[in-house]
Amino acid sequence: DAKTTQPPSMDCAEGRAANLPCNHSTISGNEYVYWYRQIHSQGPQYIIHGLKNNETNEMASLIITEDRKSSTLILPHATLRDTAVYYCIVRVAFGIGNEKLTFGTGTRLTIIP
Amino acid sequence: SQTIHQWPATLVQPVGSPLSLECTVEGTSNPNLYWYRQAAGRGLQLLFYSVGIGQISSEVPQNLSASRPQDRQFILSSKKLLLSDSGFYLCAWRSGQGSSPLHFGNGTRLTVT
């Protein structure tokens, strides 16, 4: 799996958009970008994933640069419940014999009231 | 929509006692099921995964075993717990198709005393 680099921490005002960057300069053509978040003492929560096109769902948007070497997760209207550690993971699609998942250091996002 | 249930949320067990953690998934059929253990911090260790009833793959030989008696039920067991079995255990599922992501339960915090 490609290595990812995320800022260790970020703050965002409640109601504003939170933009979380992730660098993955060694990403391979068949590797996806997955985003998860984890609130203390809870299981990781899947947010969104993509290959090369921008993606949007009810939780967030994922913007992947054209060269795919970096991406940004956007939470459009951050709430206090979005305070969590956010993990950017780059890997090939899961499959038999390829089921391992590794979290890096992540970004601790704090939403400020 | 699909949901995953994992219980109990917390468990304190003495060394040498048996263990049974249960996980069930609703709203999907024939999911791939997983047991992970998360170390302090972020590291996820894949313990077992299953692509069908009665089919269990073990990633790390240790004091634990897994079973899948029904399509959407996954059980993690031990006959005799060790102190080193303490940790945060996560059940997860995915649809097994394409780039579908893992979806995690809320975890079980196991403390072996």
Side-chain angles (χ1 to χ4, degrees):
Chain A
D1 299 344
K3 177 181 171 60
T4 62
T5 303
Q6 299 178 253
S9 64
M10 293 180 62
D11 293 339
C12 179
E14 187 178 16
R16 304 295 294 268
N19 296 283
L20 291 89
C22 180
N23 287 324
H24 32 80
S25 59
T26 62
I27 190 170
S28 299
N30 63 345
E31 289 183 313
Y32 291 79
V33 180
Y34 292 85
W35 281 85
Y36 284 82
R37 70 183 182 184
Q38 189 166 23
I39 298 170
H40 183 61
S41 298
Q42 295 185 21
Q45 180 185 22
Y46 165 74
I47 302 173
I48 199 166
H49 76 284
L51 183 62
K52 55 184 178 180
N53 297 322
N54 297 339
E55 302 286 345
T56 296
N57 62 21
E58 65 278 3
M59 288 183 66
S61 294
L62 174 61
I63 308 299
I64 303 174
T65 58
E66 191 169 346
D67 63 7
R68 301 207 324 123
K69 293 185 177 182
S70 67
S71 59
T72 301
L73 176 73
I74 301 173
L75 308 178
H77 303 288
T79 70
L80 297 178
R81 291 186 298 176
D82 292 322
T83 293
V85 179
Y86 287 75
Y87 299 103
C88 168
I89 301 146
V90 173
R91 55 159 295 144
V92 296
F94 294 94
I96 294 176
N98 185 25
E99 308 285 0
K100 294 184 179 180
L101 178 64
T102 301
F103 282 179
T105 56
T107 296
R108 183 172 298 278
L109 175 67
T110 303
I111 305 303
I112 309 299
Chain B
S1 65
Q2 302 89 0
T3 56
I4 179 169
H5 303 280
Q6 185 181 344
W7 68 93
T10 59
L11 189 60
V12 180
Q13 292 282 98
V15 168
S17 64
L19 173 73
S20 180
L21 302 181
E22 190 162 341
C23 173
T24 60
V25 181
E26 296 178 356
T28 187
S29 59
N30 196 30
N32 289 1
L33 296 173
Y34 306 79
W35 281 109
Y36 287 87
R37 180 166 57 199
Q38 186 171 29
R42 303 153 299 280
L44 281 174
Q45 180 186 30
L46 177 62
L47 302 176
F48 301 94
Y49 69 92
S50 171
V51 298
I53 296 174
Q55 302 178 55
I56 308 295
S57 296
S58 174
E59 285 293 310
V60 181
Q62 52 194 332
N63 188 41
L64 302 170
S65 62
S67 62
R68 184 171 178 173
Q70 301 180 39
D71 180 46
R72 292 171 289 174
Q73 184 184 29
F74 207 24
I75 298 171
L76 182 68
S77 303
S78 174
K79 292 182 179 178
K80 289 185 177 182
L81 283 169
L82 306 172
L83 286 175
S84 58
D85 291 324
S86 293
F88 190 47
Y89 289 84
L90 291 160
C91 181
W93 75 273
R94 60 183 289 269
S95 72
Q97 296 180 354
S99 64
S100 60
L102 285 169
H103 298 275
F104 291 87
N106 275 332
T108 295
R109 176 75 59 190
L110 172 66
T111 303
V112 182
T113 60

